[in-house]
Amino acid sequence: MRRNLEIVLIVTILLAAVAIRVDFNLAYPAELFGDSIHIAKFAESIAQTGAFPTDFGIYWSPGVVYFLGWLIPVVGNDFNYLCYRLVQSVLSVVSLSGFYILARRLFGRQAGMLALLFLAFYPPLVFYSSMIFAENLFFWLIPWLFLALYKWRESGGLVYPAVSGVLFGLIHLIRPILIPLPVIFVAWFLITNPRESYKTFLLKQIPVCAIAGLLILSPWIAHNYALYGKIITSSAVGGLNFYIAHNENANGKWVQIDVNSDVIKLSGTPEGDKLGYEEGLKYIRTHLGYELEMLWTKANLFWTKSGEFWGGKASQLWKEKYGIPQFEMRYLSFFFVIFLILGMRKWKYWFPLVGYIIAYQSMILVLYYADRYRSIVEPFLLVFAAAVLAKGYHLAKKGWFNFARFIRNRV
């Protein structure tokens, strides 16, 4: 009976999550802006020619560009890609299922249900379903990668290393920001597993994972090598982003740099990538004091700033149409700290998730803060908040029962 009720609740929440995302996309015009304009143009080119346009070099990672490009002939591009945004709404809910399973697996049934509820009605996740950005595909895959990694550690074998490699490869083509995660996972495995498992892990499972990932990346690597004679596994704008973060106009957030600079003119190419890093490092060496100030600014923005969407228009519509309160980022950060304190003794369970968040925050410190860049850790922070509240409920319930028993004994 209890199991049936849980299934009914899960299905109800997922259907409500789909409904509110679809309804929001139907109600909101979701104008293209920023990178989404260019991503859509690239996707339109793929829909027409089947080839990735290289007018701007390898500027955008291919994942979302190809995904949208392949779907345009089927779903069309009317009303700011409405049908595609509706597809994203469904994919968003698929990702919620993954986060629910992950939260339930690590922190229990109540935490899993709370996490699902939070994720279903977390406004930024609804807003992102209406944007043409790589983050939406990233949300779709990332919980399943973590689930595969956990199964790998617990079950061994070669299936989960292969699945993990495929997911690593796909996510790298969408947003190449998981570079620290393999290191975190290997460290976690070696620290928490018996020494006799090391040989199989290092000599069989790791190679299988690497080969699976390289097989996914190989067509794109070959494409880029034919163009530039260089190995480019996703995009070639790391140097540009580094220079955007470290130049005379830098302020800790995205800033427009001189469009006539060589870094911009060569962006998307190996030469532009190299030049961006060189110019950025040159600025850091001559402005160390200001760079330290920006570190604090970026950390403060990362942990306290709530996201803004279309100048606040999306939030205003959300407030007027649904009246569901928004989660302030500083509260999620507070729950994260509480989680670390309460869960310190069980660090073996959450080490990869927390390691991922800290590593990604470190990457933001190296580059610059943007709401959508921070977005890919927010689902995990919601999971941690759910874990804290579930733990608090259990502690309160236990304390109340102990108090009631004490009173009964005295009476």
Side-chain angles (χ1 to χ4, degrees), residues 23-43:
D23 187 63
F24 180 84
N25 274 284
L26 292 174
Y28 194 76
E31 306 94 342
L32 301 184
F33 68 98
D35 285 353
S36 64
I37 296 173
H38 303 286
I39 290 171
K41 286 181 179 178
F42 273 46

Side-chain angles (χ1 to χ4, degrees), residues 19 33 82-83 102 116 130 142 160-161 169 195 199 217 232 249 391:
F33 68 98
L82 174 61
C83 288
L102 185 63
L116 181 61
S130 66
I142 188 64
Y160 289 108
R195 190 178 295 273
K199 183 177 180 180
L217 295 174
I232 300 172
N249 297 316
K391 181 70 172 178

Side-chain angles (χ1 to χ4, degrees), residues 86-101:
L86 296 180
V87 170
Q88 284 193 152
S89 298
V90 176
L91 290 180
S92 172
V93 175
V94 172
S95 77
L96 302 192
S97 304
F99 281 112
Y100 163 74
I101 296 171

Side-chain angles (χ1 to χ4, degrees), residues 177 180-181 184 354-364:
I177 54 82
L181 188 54
I184 293 169
V354 172
Y356 161 76
I357 290 175
I358 299 302
Y360 188 67
Q361 202 261 338
S362 300
M363 293 174 70
I364 291 292

Side-chain angles (χ1 to χ4, degrees), residues 220-347:
W220 184 241
I221 292 174
H223 169 275
N224 298 332
Y225 193 83
L227 281 175
Y228 296 110
K230 301 284 185 180
I231 294 177
I232 300 172
T233 60
S234 186
S235 64
V237 292
L240 171 63
N241 283 315
F242 189 74
Y243 181 61
I244 289 173
H246 308 285
N247 68 82
E248 61 275 6
N249 297 316
N251 60 14
K253 298 182 287 186
W254 182 89
V255 294
Q256 179 62 60
I257 61 176
D258 183 6
V259 295
N260 296 314
S261 69
D262 289 337
V263 177
I264 283 285
K265 290 179 179 178
L266 295 172
S267 61
T269 69
E271 294 77 15
D273 210 34
K274 180 181 178 183
L275 182 61
Y277 284 117
E278 290 175 349
E279 293 296 318
L281 288 171
K282 186 186 301 182
Y283 180 83
I284 291 173
R285 286 194 295 267
T286 55
H287 297 80
L288 287 176
Y290 184 59
E291 285 288 332
L292 291 175
E293 291 180 23
M294 281 201 294
L295 286 177
W296 167 250
T297 298
K298 287 181 275 192
N300 186 50
L301 289 169
F302 187 92
W303 293 108
T304 65
K305 184 182 182 299
S306 296
E308 298 175 1
F309 306 89
W310 287 288
K313 294 179 183 178
S315 299
Q316 184 63 29
L317 174 64
W318 178 270
K319 181 179 179 181
E320 294 173 356
K321 191 171 179 61
Y322 307 111
I324 301 173
Q326 297 198 46
F327 292 68
E328 295 287 337
M329 185 62 198
R330 62 179 182 272
Y331 298 138
L332 289 182
S333 300
F334 170 77
F335 278 117
F336 180 58
V337 173
I338 298 301
F339 170 81
L340 293 178
I341 295 172
L342 293 178
M344 192 61 65
R345 296 177 63 182
K346 296 185 177 181
W347 66 270

